[in-house]
Amino acid sequence: MIINIDSTDRTSLINWESLKITDNINEKVNTCSFSLQVKEGQSYVPSVGDSVEITDTDTLFAGTIIKVNRKMISSLIEQYDIQCKDWTQEINRFLVSESFTNKTVSYIIEYLLTNYAPTFTDNNVACELEFSSLKFNNLTVSQCIQKLSEATNYFWYIDYDKDIHFFAKADELSSFNLTDTNENYIPQSLILTEDISQVRNIVKVQGGEVEGSSRTETHDGDGTKTTFPTYNKFSTVPTVTVGGSPKTVGVDYLDDEASYDCFWNFNEKYVRFKVAPVNGSNNIAITGIPLIPIIAQVQDDDSVAELGTYEYYIKDTTIRSTDEAKQRAGAELDAYANSLTEGSFRTYTDGLKSGQVINIQSDVRGIDEDYLIQSVRTSMLSPYKRQYDVTIASMRTLGIIYFLQNLLLTGRREEKTTENDVVYKYYIDWQQIQVTEDITLEELMQDYQDTEVTELIRKDPFVVQWVLSPYFPTSDSDPKRPMRLSISSYLS
């Protein structure tokens, strides 16, 4: 095994016991961590942003150093604890603000890579589903691809060669399966967990609306009432008669009030007359083509008998027929009518990757089922032997995903947007300004000034006259001076 950091072999510096690699399914980020020790006299120092590639017969990991923690483990050895992410770190350097009209997923991904991640390729993107309208507002490239993935129910990931994979289903088989006798795993490590928290065994699906057969609704006029409800939502403007006489019908709040006898409101479901119809029994007739909601309910009797009733409701306006509604409910039952299974096992055999399908067949445990590998965590038992901890999940949940993919193939996908949605794109214009300063050094000048100072000294020409304090002499010729009265003083 070779560990290259920034294209230089640093394997000899790696503490092999510290190496951990986690390979996660699809768009989830793959990670790697290890410790690197540098002794006195060695000048190498790893840095965040350095590329990392770990290879054996295949590439085990490739990505970027995102964190380095350094510490002294002795007076002469410094240890660097390093954490890495796959190429997701690099592809997410820029934010995307773009809008697309009538473009396929393949076109959109190619555009994103060309303009925001030119070092990545799209050789394994295969999706011709078309969006009539789609907007990205300040999203990373991986967030944009994830949005496409969620809208189409496709899967995606970035491989270690920086190529994007965008595909419809997981059909890659693992290099080996698990049985009671093939010794491809540690038998005691296989743990399977059944979960009924997501069980759904009676599924009701409400789809869009379809046009029914023409229907007529009648009302009684009373000479004062002007508004009459329509019990059906008609697909187009209905015809209206009063006492057998036809009336002109406009659309309420849209058509000119003076041009029609009455007005129809689609959303509120009513007809409003300008003049109240005359008294009569069923003399007002409203005829139109009603819109009927598609509703289907499908039940799994065996699941209900075993687990009890678990009802679930789905509303999907893209469903346009009763058959599609039944298929949608059936796909939901296939995925969730029974308990879901998750599990894990440990193996020393190389070759497993997340996203592969592995079969577990055990006569001892009564198991024969396919599972989807969710993650593979690699750790080192020795410099030359690896251990793999593998997590798996039942394949049954993929049935609903495949159904949704097929449903999308019948029409173009439209992301819900409005004309008021605005994609903001800002640009920063950097300009370099050079400022120079000229300083002129003048010759030093010495400035001399003549200053004349006079001093007047006056010697007292008089005998002091002592007076009680407080007292301040009035002038320099005043002989009076304050004294303090004490036992040593006297007055003459």
Side-chain angles (χ1 to χ4, degrees):
M1 182 173 62
I2 298 174
I3 301 177
N4 287 321
I5 303 178
D6 257 10
S7 303
T8 301
D9 187 352
R10 304 293 182 184
T11 308
S12 61
L13 303 179
I14 305 300
N15 175 8
W16 61 265
E17 294 177 312
S18 68
L19 179 62
K20 302 286 187 299
I21 301 172
T22 301
D23 170 30
N24 290 310
I25 191 170
N26 298 333
E27 76 281 355
K28 296 181 180 179
V29 177
N30 294 346
T31 61
C32 172
S33 64
F34 55 87
S35 295
L36 178 151
Q37 296 177 354
V38 177
K39 300 178 182 179
E40 184 181 26
Q42 295 176 322
S43 59
Y44 173 69
V45 175
S47 301
V48 293
D50 288 349
S51 63
V52 173
E53 184 178 30
I54 303 175
T55 58
D56 196 349
T57 53
D58 297 317
T59 301
L60 302 179
F61 179 83
T64 306
I65 295 177
I66 62 167
K67 184 181 292 187
V68 177
N69 181 48
R70 53 193 299 180
K71 60 185 177 182
M72 297 298 297
I73 59 174
S74 74
S75 60
L76 300 177
I77 300 176
E78 185 171 18
Q79 178 170 296
Y80 296 83
D81 297 323
I82 295 174
Q83 296 182 30
C84 310
K85 278 186 180 180
D86 62 16
W87 297 122
T88 306
Q89 181 74 15
E90 181 176 331
I91 203 173
N92 285 339
R93 294 176 59 198
F94 301 101
L95 295 178
V96 177
S97 293
E98 300 284 355
S99 59
F100 299 91
T101 303
N102 299 329
K103 299 299 182 183
T104 64
V105 171
S106 296
Y107 173 89
I108 294 171
I109 293 178
E110 180 182 7
Y111 180 92
L112 294 174
L113 298 184
T114 300
N115 291 276
Y116 295 93
T119 61
F120 291 78
T121 58
D122 60 344
N123 297 325
N124 285 283
V125 175
C127 183
E128 297 307 313
L129 291 173
E130 187 175 282
F131 286 80
S132 59
S133 176
L134 179 67
K135 294 184 180 181
F136 301 128
N137 205 341
N138 291 321
L139 301 180
T140 63
V141 173
S142 68
Q143 287 174 330
C144 293
I145 300 176
Q146 180 61 21
K147 188 174 182 180
L148 294 171
S149 171
E150 292 170 355
T152 58
N153 291 292
Y154 273 49
F155 306 99
W156 77 279
Y157 67 91
I158 307 171
D159 68 21
Y160 291 139
D161 295 321
K162 293 188 175 182
D163 189 58
I164 306 297
H165 294 242
F166 196 93
F167 52 98
K169 62 180 180 178
D171 54 8
E172 181 184 355
L173 300 179
S174 61
S175 57
F176 60 87
N177 295 316
L178 308 187
T179 68
D180 293 330
T181 59
N182 64 10
E183 298 183 352
N184 281 330
Y185 71 106
I186 303 171
Q188 295 84 353
S189 70
L190 178 59
I191 299 173
L192 297 175
T193 303
E194 288 193 78
D195 181 3
I196 67 168
S197 62
Q198 299 296 318
V199 165
R200 306 160 189 176
N201 49 32
I202 298 178
V203 178
K204 299 177 182 178
V205 175
Q206 179 176 338
E209 295 174 320
V210 293
E211 293 185 350
S213 301
S214 178
R215 292 185 183 180
T216 299
E217 301 175 6
T218 58
H219 299 273
D220 297 338
D222 60 6
T224 59
K225 187 176 181 182
T226 59
T227 301
F228 298 86
T230 58
Y231 304 109
N232 295 280
K233 181 184 287 187
F234 294 118
S235 61
T236 58
V237 177
T239 60
V240 178
T241 62
V242 177
S245 299
K247 300 295 181 181
T248 56
V249 184
V251 178
D252 208 10
Y253 300 114
L254 292 179
D255 291 330
D256 181 32
E257 187 79 9
S259 301
Y260 298 91
D261 298 323
C262 58
F263 297 87
W264 166 67
N265 190 300
F266 173 80
N267 290 315
E268 300 297 327
K269 296 196 298 183
Y270 66 75
V271 171
R272 176 181 60 83
F273 290 86
K274 291 193 297 184
V275 178
V278 298
N279 287 328
S281 175
N282 295 328
N283 61 329
I284 303 169
I286 304 172
T287 303
I289 304 297
L291 290 174
I292 301 173
I294 298 170
I295 299 176
Q297 176 174 309
V298 181
Q299 175 173 319
D300 188 312
D301 293 332
D302 291 338
S303 176
V304 171
E306 179 184 356
L307 303 173
T309 298
Y310 291 88
E311 295 184 331
Y312 189 69
Y313 173 77
I314 299 170
K315 185 174 182 179
D316 185 348
T317 56
T318 63
I319 293 175
R320 296 299 183 186
S321 70
T322 303
D323 286 340
E324 280 187 6
K326 290 179 181 177
Q327 293 171 16
R328 177 69 173 86
E332 197 79 18
L333 288 178
D334 288 343
Y336 298 114
N338 299 303
S339 59
L340 301 181
T341 303
E342 296 179 337
S344 62
F345 64 90
R346 182 171 295 162
T347 180
Y348 303 131
T349 307
D350 301 336
L352 294 183
K353 297 180 180 179
S354 64
Q356 292 178 336
V357 178
I358 187 169
N359 178 265
I360 300 178
Q361 192 279 321
S362 173
D363 294 331
V364 174
R365 304 177 68 170
I367 301 170
D368 188 0
E369 189 172 346
D370 289 337
Y371 293 86
L372 188 65
I373 297 176
Q374 302 293 304
S375 69
V376 179
R377 187 172 187 270
T378 305
S379 56
M380 305 299 295
L381 297 178
S382 74
Y384 311 103
K385 186 173 183 180
R386 296 186 286 270
Q387 173 181 287
Y388 305 96
D389 291 286
V390 183
T391 62
I392 56 177
S394 171
M395 288 285 291
R396 289 197 297 267
T397 54
L398 293 180
I400 183 65
I401 295 174
Y402 298 153
F403 169 78
L404 294 174
Q405 292 171 354
N406 291 331
L407 189 62
L408 287 170
L409 292 173
T410 62
R412 295 186 303 180
R413 177 73 183 186
E414 181 172 2
E415 208 43 31
K416 291 185 178 180
T417 58
T418 69
E419 293 300 323
N420 294 326
D421 288 342
V422 179
V423 175
Y424 292 100
K425 186 180 290 187
Y426 300 96
Y427 298 90
I428 298 177
D429 185 16
W430 294 98
Q431 299 289 338
Q432 185 174 11
I433 300 175
Q434 183 175 0
V435 179
T436 60
E437 184 177 6
D438 293 331
I439 300 175
T440 303
L441 181 63
E442 300 288 350
E443 293 184 6
L444 296 177
M445 298 179 62
Q446 296 182 350
D447 186 14
Y448 297 95
Q449 299 290 336
D450 293 332
T451 304
E452 182 177 347
V453 179
T454 61
E455 183 177 10
L456 178 61
I457 301 175
R458 183 181 180 90
K459 184 177 181 182
D460 287 345
F462 45 73
V463 177
V464 174
Q465 298 177 17
W466 299 105
V467 296
L468 294 175
S469 297
Y471 180 81
F472 297 95
T474 59
S475 68
D476 60 356
S477 62
D478 184 358
K480 295 178 182 180
R481 296 292 184 268
M483 74 171 183
R484 186 176 65 178
L485 187 60
S486 66
I487 60 175
S488 62
S489 61
Y490 63 91
L491 296 174
S492 58

